Amino acid sequence: MSIKSRILISAAAFALAGASPAFAQTEIQWWHALTGANNDVVVKLANDFNASQKEYKVVPAYKGSYPDALNAGIAAFRAGQAPHILQVFEVGTGTMMSAKGAIKPVHEMMKEAGEKFDPNAYLPAISGYYSTAKGEMLSMPFNSSSMVMWYNKDAFKKAGLDPAKPPKTWPEVFADAKKLKAAGYDKCGFSNAWATWANIEQFGAWHNIALSTKVNGMAGTDAVMTFNKDPIFLKHWTNLVELQKDKTYDYSGRTNNGEGRFTSGECPIFLTSSGFYGNVVANAKFDWGNAPMPYYPDVQGAPQNSIIGGASLWVMGGKSANEYKGVAKFFTFLSDVDRQAKLHTESGYLPITKAAYEKVKASGFYKDKPYLETPILELTNKTPTDNSKGLRYGSLVQIRDIWSEELEAALNGQKSPQAALDAAAERGNQMLRQFERTAAR
């Protein structure tokens, strides 16, 4: 090889070596738990961000159900292979907060990355759930929802009820459910998914009743559950037990597996997540609507405000400053007003910022689709109190199972409603003390 050839090759190699860093992208791994149309949303958001700049590439990966994704993220962190972003359902908030060193608080990351970030820009009922007592946001809200009451307008007409006037209070729900049952809906007058979310967590917030001390666990892991001592909880559980006997109320399980009872037409009144919207649109062969959760009118100040469901995005610890800068830019991208407005109107997810909500409202969108505003009106019904900001318990996944077991025991006649409530609180407190010892290590 001639000297000239070697010089040309060396020059070309040097040029390529010098050019390659400019084209090298930093990958941002995003683990999530969304399937179907919701997975499509995740992929599109990642692709749109990747197309908007060339420095970073967000790579989404489905990791199973919410509990599976949470467990996978924790295991990966322990192995030194954690993703940059982990989607965690709201039930896992207490666990994530207590995982010292495993997370990078969002408010810290955004500040260090130099990204504009104002926690007051977000809907307070959403941001408050994922913030410290000082208002410091720990994770980024993503697919937020709340619980609403879906109802079958055709069934209402058949039962002689006005479909334009869904029930507002629990006594009205009970009365309408009896009429619906008499009109042929004999297997189920009304029901709900997510048994404890409906009948403990949301019920407490909507009636401004504390579930425990320490601001429902948000002010410390040493919270003590007290909901079993409140007469309204006893009244509600007693009503459910009585109405279960003739199927005016019919239990539909601990999770959302029973939601098909609404879209099939079997249960004409059904409380579940506002995120059920896509399934209702796709599968209900009848005229439908939704309305706010019912409340007991004799509870002073009710209704208060609902709390959120869904999930948020947690940033995992141990990454480089450059990687965090990429995550911060992605979060800024997600919070864009126009993007949030579009995401809300197309997917049914709640807009996470005040500006996005106001933009959609000003456009007149809710006049034709009022059911998409229902959960927002619930969340913003009143300024959240210490009883209605949300809840933050370690091991909440296991605690929910305990609560469900006790509710089922009451519905099956194995325990009185009060005995079931007492056991739910006592066993829940045992789990809290166990988690408190673990978190203190």
Side-chain angles (χ1 to χ4, degrees):
M1 183 182 293
S2 69
I3 293 175
K4 183 178 180 181
S5 296
R6 284 198 295 269
I7 291 173
L8 287 172
I9 291 172
S10 297
F14 180 79
L16 286 171
S20 59
F23 295 99
Q25 287 184 308
T26 300
E27 283 200 355
I28 305 296
Q29 297 293 327
W30 178 13
W31 289 7
H32 68 90
L34 299 178
T35 59
N38 291 337
N39 176 71
D40 295 340
V41 170
V42 167
V43 172
K44 187 176 188 312
L45 285 170
N47 289 341
D48 287 351
F49 174 72
N50 295 340
S52 73
Q53 46 74 54
K54 301 197 179 296
E55 202 172 346
Y56 302 97
K57 181 181 180 181
V58 171
V59 182
Y62 171 70
K63 290 294 177 177
S65 67
Y66 277 136
D68 290 341
L70 175 59
N71 291 334
I74 292 172
F77 175 80
R78 289 172 178 162
Q81 299 175 336
H84 300 83
I85 304 169
L86 178 66
Q87 183 197 29
V88 178
F89 60 160
E90 91 284 7
V91 181
T93 301
T95 299
M96 292 300 289
M97 280 189 65
S98 299
K100 295 179 175 65
I103 65 164
K104 177 77 169 177
V106 163
H107 71 96
E108 285 184 13
M109 181 194 69
M110 298 297 276
K111 183 178 180 180
E112 291 171 6
E115 288 292 314
K116 184 179 178 182
F117 180 69
D118 178 10
N120 292 321
Y122 300 83
L123 291 173
I126 296 177
S127 60
Y129 201 103
Y130 301 118
S131 299
T132 67
K134 297 178 181 178
E136 300 164 331
M137 277 177 62
L138 300 172
S139 63
M140 176 62 69
F142 181 54
N143 56 313
S144 294
S145 61
S146 195
M147 178 163 279
V148 298
M149 181 178 67
W150 299 89
Y151 67 101
N152 183 331
K153 291 185 176 182
D154 291 349
F156 270 50
K157 291 177 183 176
K158 184 178 177 182
L161 299 169
D162 186 349
K165 295 180 180 179
K168 293 182 179 181
T169 68
W170 277 114
E172 289 171 351
V173 169
F174 304 153
D176 287 358
K178 289 182 182 297
K179 292 178 181 177
L180 288 161
K181 191 167 163 289
Y185 298 89
D186 54 346
K187 293 182 179 179
C188 172
F190 78 97
S191 189
N192 57 262
W194 305 114
T196 65
W197 194 41
N199 298 303
I200 294 181
E201 298 164 45
Q202 290 284 9
F203 185 86
W206 201 228
H207 291 87
N208 196 20
I209 300 168
L211 301 186
S212 73
T213 61
K214 294 289 181 176
V215 193
N216 287 344
M218 299 183 85
T221 57
D222 55 339
V224 176
M225 293 180 183
T226 57
F227 61 86
N228 59 310
K229 299 175 182 178
D230 194 285
I232 299 302
F233 271 101
L234 178 58
K235 180 177 182 177
H236 185 58
W237 280 37
T238 300
N239 284 333
L240 294 180
V241 168
E242 288 302 311
L243 295 169
Q244 174 75 52
K245 293 175 181 177
D246 69 353
K247 302 290 186 180
T248 297
Y249 169 74
D250 195 46
Y251 184 70
S252 292
R254 301 180 182 185
T255 65
N256 64 336
N257 290 338
E259 286 179 340
R261 301 185 74 190
F262 177 75
T263 50
S264 71
E266 183 179 22
C267 290
I269 298 176
F270 202 91
L271 277 77
T272 190
S273 171
S274 58
F276 186 38
Y277 164 71
N279 282 328
V280 176
V281 171
N283 300 310
K285 307 303 181 187
F286 49 81
D287 193 12
W288 52 269
N290 71 21
M293 293 181 291
Y295 61 95
Y296 284 98
D298 54 337
V299 177
Q300 187 175 359
Q304 171 60 38
N305 64 274
S306 67
I307 54 176
I308 62 168
S312 66
L313 304 181
W314 289 82
V315 183
M316 303 303 286
K319 306 301 181 182
S320 69
N322 182 50
E323 289 170 305
Y324 285 138
K325 187 174 181 180
V327 175
K329 286 185 176 297
F330 180 52
F331 284 0
T332 297
F333 175 88
L334 290 179
S335 299
D336 173 76
V337 174
D338 290 341
R339 185 161 293 104
Q340 275 295 316
K342 190 170 187 287
L343 187 64
H344 167 55
T345 57
E346 291 183 357
S347 72
Y349 288 153
L350 300 180
I352 61 175
T353 64
K354 298 173 186 174
Y357 171 45
E358 292 302 326
K359 181 181 178 70
V360 175
K361 191 176 182 68
S363 73
F365 178 83
Y366 298 124
K367 291 178 182 177
D368 293 327
K369 297 185 176 182
Y371 38 81
L372 285 180
E373 190 179 22
T374 302
I376 307 173
L377 295 176
E378 286 183 322
L379 286 166
T380 59
N381 186 54
K382 290 178 183 174
T383 302
T385 70
D386 282 354
N387 299 333
S388 67
K389 290 178 181 176
L391 55 152
R392 192 173 291 156
Y393 304 128
S395 301
L396 185 53
V397 175
Q398 294 87 346
I399 289 172
R400 272 185 167 180
D401 283 339
I402 288 170
W403 288 348
S404 294
E405 285 177 11
E406 297 302 335
L407 175 59
E408 289 160 2
L411 292 170
N412 293 334
Q414 297 170 331
K415 290 184 178 181
S416 70
Q418 185 64 68
L421 282 166
D422 289 342
E426 181 182 352
R427 295 175 64 198
N429 282 328
Q430 291 172 2
M431 289 296 298
L432 289 182
R433 298 295 73 79
Q434 182 179 334
F435 181 83
E436 185 181 8
R437 290 191 294 272
T438 303
R441 289 175 186 169

